[in-house]
Amino acid sequence: MNGTIQTVCVIGAGTMGSGIAAQVANAGGDVLLLDIASDGDSGGGGRNAVCERALERIAKSDPPLLMRPENLERIAIGNIEDDLDRAGKCDWIVEAIVERLDVKRALYRSLLPHLKEGALVSSNTSTIPIALLMEDMPDALRKRFCITHFFNPVRYMRLLELVRGAETEDAVIETLARYNDEELGKGVVRCADTPGFLGNRVGVFAMQAAIHEAMALGIDIEDADALFGRPMGIPKTGAFGLYDLIGVDLMADVVRSLRSILPQGDPFHEVGAENALINAQIEKGFTGNKGKGGFYARIDGKAMALDLATGAWRPRRKELPELASAGERDGLRPLLEGEGRLAEFAWRVLARILTYSASLVPEVTDTPQDIDDAMKLGYNWVKGPFELIDEIGAEGFAARLEEDGFYVPEFLRITAEAERRDDRCFYRPGNGVLEVRHFDGTFRPVALPRGVVRFHMARRALAPEFENGSASCFRIGDDVLLVEFHTKANALDDAAMAVVRQAAETPSRGVLVHNDAQHFSAGVNLERFKAFIEAEDWQGIDRFLFDFQMAVEAQLYCDKPVVGAPSGLAIGGGYEVLAHCDLVVAHANSVLGLVEAAVGVVPGGGGVKETYWRWYQSTGDWEKAAWNTFNQVGYGQTASSPDLAARLNYFLAGRDRQVMNRDRLVSAGLAAIDDLAPDYAPRQAPVFQLAGADVFAAMVAFLESGRAKGRFMPHDVTVATQIAWIVTGGEDGARTCSERDLFAREREAFIRLARTPQTHARIAGMLSGTGVPRN
């Protein structure tokens, strides 16, 4: 075994197999996708019809499985009757077929004669133990076999559970761990061959606990999802919404499967019994979002929710209970201190989930980090179960559990006693690193591969250089300042931008703008602009935008390199921060773009300016640059990957860099600063040429024609006219201008639009969740 993977075969072209194949193609690998042979009579096509349809689904997927459409060309197809010999030439064969033991074992036996020396074989099973999969198989296969359990959708879900068997060779695990981390971008959690592994063992239990308690206490599904959601650091879908998203029928099968393999006495059986209401919904065809709905549905055009007591439909409520709103603001404290049925629901759900998680140590793993990582990477929790216990406090948590008659697992009890003695819970800052308590009572540094940094963990062992309620700045590595936003959705306000500016002006070797949240930044805080507009405080808007512009100008022209390292959404004002960096190191799933036109304003933090300059740099023609900027910003275009962003000049392919694993952004960003720092000099301030009155007139004519044909709404024309005015000079004609002049034009255009009732209505609609009105 040479420890490298160049070619991959995925057998099984369903949802998971297709997703795995697409991600390998995204990483630049060659993929062979196989499934059963078609007889040509059902569904049309030839022998490879099943895989041909899979390619069609990949190409049309939304959100897209491919980082750029051309990646589909890396996926070759075939079938398991005619093409197993081709599979034998691959370095890694991933089985992702139906969850039936007999079918899987038959496939492995068919593969055996074709496997080349050193080829690795794995299953994507979520439930079947390796001991059963490999029973009576040759030693040569048992040594090279393991489970690689991906989560759906494969491109976007970060967790890979890597499960070794009793005879799996170390080199197999190390090779697959490295490849999936560095090439496919996964956070690899190594698991024992135990039922449900880690992610689904805890994640499905958590969903079942929420559903069980909601039904027991008579809680409406909207209230249950509101509490078992953002207040607990869990995605807003909650439990019932997530059932609908995954598929009610699929989830029912997953629950049955876990129930069948978990030992009697496991707490899962208390919350995972057959559910008559769920079974009735499936029988009626309410199987989730893929069907007519599930717990939520649209019936006769109206949003409806299922009444858990009667099984009847009723109008869906959108308003949050006050307890959920308080939890979103202040975390777990209001949930734990509240009174009434909703607070009881929140407490009982937390008690069940956190005690169940603690009971798995040391049965499944001897470190809380594995369970926390599985939930954060596989279920998008903000904090893992043990991090939540740290937030609550183990001693107080255990005491309340005992008072309310809950079982206190041994690991939790030992930790609570230790906390009483020395105020240490599951995690603590060590000598510049975060340490985690293991079952034997020792604290050890959190275990991460070389080059992996999860800053939400690393920051707990650091003291900020300076901070405020919206952002912090830490000194890391070789004298580098890291700026981290930490508002809701990382929406940018004046306080966040003050930290950006202060970092640019503080002595250091470089600045890295990065955070570990789901999204780098969803843009500027619209609540601030709504307040400015309603107060008619136009000077306040001008001052806010000026301060924002001076902050990004400071980072662009300071005496050291500034590198942006985004993941998730980096749109609007978030993108404008990146546009004024010397270099961007972006996660491969980053969404980049300027979206301000949709809410009735123009980018006011240098976004129009930088887009115009970039298009001039790439075309050498101010008129072409003006038209490209006008169209791109006017339509609010975004890109769902750096590869696609490069086509819009949001990402500069010859300068910027991307990484597949977001946990490697900090290391890659520091490496970029190391490359830039020795001979660093900021860019020379550009001189701009406004495109002139003729171009402005042509743009206005284009807009008026579109409005006459019904393609543009009246306010769309108003907004786009202001974009045209910024880059052309309007009726005043062509002339040269400075960067500060273009900044000023953006502010002036922004305020003109802010004065209109249409812009106020759009911003208000966006913030209220009712949607942007078409005006």
Side-chain angles (χ1 to χ4, degrees):
M1 184 181 304
N2 61 15
T4 62
I5 295 173
Q6 301 295 330
T7 56
V8 177
C9 173
V10 181
I11 302 179
T15 299
M16 292 304 302
S18 298
I20 296 167
Q23 188 67 356
V24 173
N26 287 333
D30 294 322
V31 195
L32 174 63
L33 180 62
L34 304 180
D35 209 300
I36 59 173
S38 173
D39 58 15
D41 295 330
S42 57
R47 299 275 287 173
N48 300 333
V50 174
C51 287
E52 288 170 358
R53 290 193 291 272
L55 292 184
E56 293 171 2
R57 291 195 305 272
I58 291 171
K60 296 176 182 178
S61 56
D62 184 21
L65 293 176
L66 297 172
M67 293 173 184
R68 57 177 183 165
E70 296 87 342
N71 291 347
L72 193 67
E73 298 169 8
R74 297 196 179 110
I75 306 176
I77 61 173
N79 66 79
I80 58 175
E81 290 185 20
D82 304 330
D83 301 296
L84 276 184
D85 59 326
R86 295 167 63 193
K89 298 172 184 175
C90 294
D91 301 313
W92 175 27
I93 298 94
V94 189
E95 169 268 302
I97 64 174
V98 63
E99 287 285 85
R100 278 183 50 187
L101 179 61
D102 58 333
V103 178
K104 291 179 185 289
R105 285 170 54 80
L107 174 64
Y108 303 153
R109 292 197 179 278
S110 298
L111 266 174
L112 279 171
H114 304 289
L115 293 178
K116 72 176 185 178
E117 182 69 25
L120 311 181
V121 183
S122 70
S123 173
N124 186 59
T125 182
S126 60
T127 57
I128 304 176
I130 292 178
L132 293 179
L133 292 172
M134 288 291 100
E135 188 176 9
D136 298 328
M137 291 290 170
D139 288 346
L141 179 60
R142 295 156 76 96
K143 291 178 180 179
R144 66 173 82 176
F145 186 88
C146 66
I147 289 171
T148 49
H149 180 221
F150 291 86
F151 281 63
N152 185 48
V154 176
R155 175 182 170 186
Y156 300 97
M157 298 307 294
R158 299 165 61 196
L159 178 61
L160 174 81
E161 292 181 314
L162 183 57
V163 185
R164 71 182 305 152
E167 298 172 57
T168 310
E169 293 182 344
D170 290 345
V172 172
I173 298 299
E174 296 306 322
T175 298
L176 287 172
R178 184 170 59 253
Y179 178 81
N180 280 281
D181 166 6
E182 297 177 4
E183 303 299 326
L184 300 192
K186 298 301 165 190
V188 178
V189 174
R190 303 185 189 203
C191 302
D193 191 18
T194 56
F197 315 134
L198 284 176
N200 283 345
R201 180 90 177 256
V202 176
V204 176
F205 178 90
M207 295 167 64
Q208 292 303 119
I211 291 171
H212 174 85
E213 292 296 346
M215 298 186 80
L217 294 170
I219 305 297
D220 288 345
I221 63 174
E222 302 98 320
D223 292 341
D225 282 348
L227 292 165
F228 180 70
R230 285 175 171 163
M232 297 184 188
I234 293 170
K236 65 179 181 179
T237 49
F240 295 100
L242 187 54
Y243 247 75
D244 283 2
L245 181 64
I246 295 171
V248 178
D249 53 344
L250 177 59
M251 279 304 307
D253 287 341
V254 170
V255 171
R256 290 189 189 102
S257 178
L258 283 170
R259 197 167 60 234
S260 70
I261 60 177
L262 288 169
Q264 290 300 317
D266 189 287
F268 185 89
H269 295 290
E270 297 176 26
V271 299
E274 283 293 324
N275 188 302
L277 180 62
I278 289 175
N279 291 339
Q281 287 297 96
I282 296 170
E283 289 174 8
K284 296 173 187 175
F286 288 98
T287 56
N289 296 350
K290 63 185 178 182
K292 300 189 296 183
F295 288 101
Y296 300 100
R298 292 199 70 83
I299 297 177
D300 297 329
K302 298 178 181 177
M304 307 294 281
L306 191 68
D307 188 299
L308 296 179
T310 66
W313 293 106
R314 56 168 176 74
R316 180 175 180 177
R317 293 186 289 103
K318 284 195 171 182
E319 66 276 8
L320 290 177
E322 176 54 35
L323 184 63
S325 299
E328 286 196 23
R329 289 193 308 269
D330 303 320
L332 296 180
R333 182 181 55 78
L335 306 186
L336 298 173
E337 295 177 355
E339 297 180 352
R341 283 189 308 124
L342 294 184
E344 183 181 0
F345 166 80
W347 159 246
R348 294 187 65 84
V349 170
L350 281 168
R352 285 187 181 274
I353 296 169
L354 302 184
T355 56
Y356 189 64
S357 301
S359 75
L360 300 180
V361 181
E363 174 202 343
V364 176
T365 174
D366 69 347
T367 170
Q369 184 193 341
D370 286 343
I371 295 174
D372 285 347
D373 284 353
M375 297 314 300
K376 290 185 291 186
L377 299 173
Y379 279 79
N380 281 335
W381 289 19
V382 174
K383 294 181 179 180
F386 294 93
E387 291 170 314
L388 289 172
I389 297 174
D390 274 4
E391 181 180 339
I392 298 168
E395 182 182 358
F397 180 56
R400 184 169 176 183
L401 289 171
E402 289 181 341
E403 181 181 333
D404 288 2
F406 283 94
Y407 168 68
V408 180
E410 181 183 7
F411 188 39
L412 176 57
R413 178 180 54 77
I414 293 171
T415 303
E417 292 171 354
E419 184 186 50
R420 188 179 305 121
R421 293 192 304 269
D422 57 19
D423 197 33
R424 293 171 180 170
C425 204
F426 290 108
Y427 293 89
R428 72 177 188 189
N431 295 321
V433 297
L434 187 65
E435 297 179 336
V436 59
R437 181 190 298 275
H438 286 237
F439 183 74
D440 63 8
T442 63
F443 277 90
R444 306 173 206 169
V446 294
L448 296 171
R450 183 183 297 274
V452 166
V453 178
R454 295 179 186 149
F455 195 70
H456 73 279
M457 300 173 75
R459 74 189 305 278
R460 294 173 63 180
L462 301 172
E465 291 280 303
F466 44 88
E467 64 178 340
N468 55 40
S470 299
S472 301
C473 182
F474 298 86
R475 197 173 294 272
I476 66 171
D478 186 10
D479 194 27
V480 171
L481 295 177
L482 186 147
V483 173
E484 176 199 50
F485 306 133
H486 43 68
T487 57
K488 183 178 179 181
N490 286 328
L492 302 176
D493 55 20
D494 46 2
M497 297 311 296
V499 172
V500 169
R501 183 167 186 173
Q502 187 175 353
E505 296 171 347
T506 299
S508 70
R509 282 184 65 249
V511 176
L512 182 63
V513 188
H514 168 76
N515 63 74
D516 216 4
Q518 184 177 2
H519 299 300
F520 175 78
S521 173
V524 170
N525 186 341
L526 289 178
E527 292 280 5
R528 294 297 306 276
F529 285 120
K530 180 172 178 286
F532 282 136
I533 291 169
E534 291 173 350
E536 297 185 357
D537 185 1
W538 316 122
Q539 287 186 339
I541 292 179
D542 187 69
R543 184 170 57 252
F544 181 101
L545 293 176
F546 180 79
D547 289 344
F548 191 109
Q549 292 171 348
M550 292 304 97
V552 294
E553 182 185 81
Q555 72 173 21
L556 185 58
Y557 292 109
C558 67
D559 60 357
K560 65 260 191 175
V562 178
V563 171
S567 60
L569 294 178
I571 56 176
Y575 173 72
E576 288 175 305
V577 170
L578 297 176
H580 291 83
C581 291
D582 294 292
L583 185 147
V584 170
V585 177
H587 179 230
N589 288 342
S590 299
V591 177
L592 307 174
L594 295 167
V595 297
E596 287 85 347
V599 292
V601 295
V602 298
V608 179
K609 167 186 70 71
E610 283 301 302
T611 303
Y612 189 33
W613 176 245
R614 289 179 178 208
W615 277 116
Y616 174 70
Q617 290 291 97
S618 63
T619 64
D621 185 311
W622 286 110
E623 183 173 337
K624 288 181 180 178
W627 275 104
N628 287 347
T629 303
F630 168 73
N631 282 305
Q632 189 166 308
V633 178
Y635 282 110
Q637 289 181 285
T638 62
S640 60
S641 71
D643 284 337
L644 297 179
R647 301 175 185 182
L648 301 172
N649 272 335
Y650 288 142
F651 182 86
L652 300 181
R655 183 201 75 173
D656 296 334
R657 308 171 186 179
Q658 65 174 305
V659 296
M660 290 292 285
N661 191 335
R662 62 177 288 171
D663 291 337
R664 294 183 174 275
L665 282 171
V666 171
S667 294
L670 292 175
I673 289 173
D674 288 342
D675 292 341
L676 294 172
D679 302 309
Y680 178 74
R683 83 175 185 189
Q684 295 294 309
V687 176
F688 292 83
Q689 176 72 40
L690 300 181
D694 291 345
V695 178
F696 178 70
M699 289 176 176
V700 171
F702 168 80
L703 293 170
E704 292 299 339
S705 174
R707 173 161 52 184
K709 295 175 182 177
R711 297 204 312 267
F712 303 138
M713 299 302 294
H715 199 55
D716 295 330
V717 173
T718 302
V719 174
T721 299
Q722 291 304 306
I723 298 168
W725 176 82
I726 293 170
V727 296
T728 65
E731 296 175 350
D732 294 338
R735 63 184 185 278
T736 60
C737 66
S738 69
E739 199 161 15
R740 288 280 183 97
D741 291 334
L742 271 176
F743 270 141
R745 295 181 73 81
E746 286 186 9
R747 297 200 308 277
E748 185 175 342
F750 190 108
I751 292 170
R752 284 195 198 115
L753 293 168
R755 287 174 175 269
T756 66
Q758 293 89 345
T759 288
H760 176 258
R762 288 191 178 192
I763 291 175
M766 177 71 74
L767 290 172
S768 68
T770 59
V772 175
R774 292 184 58 77
N775 50 20

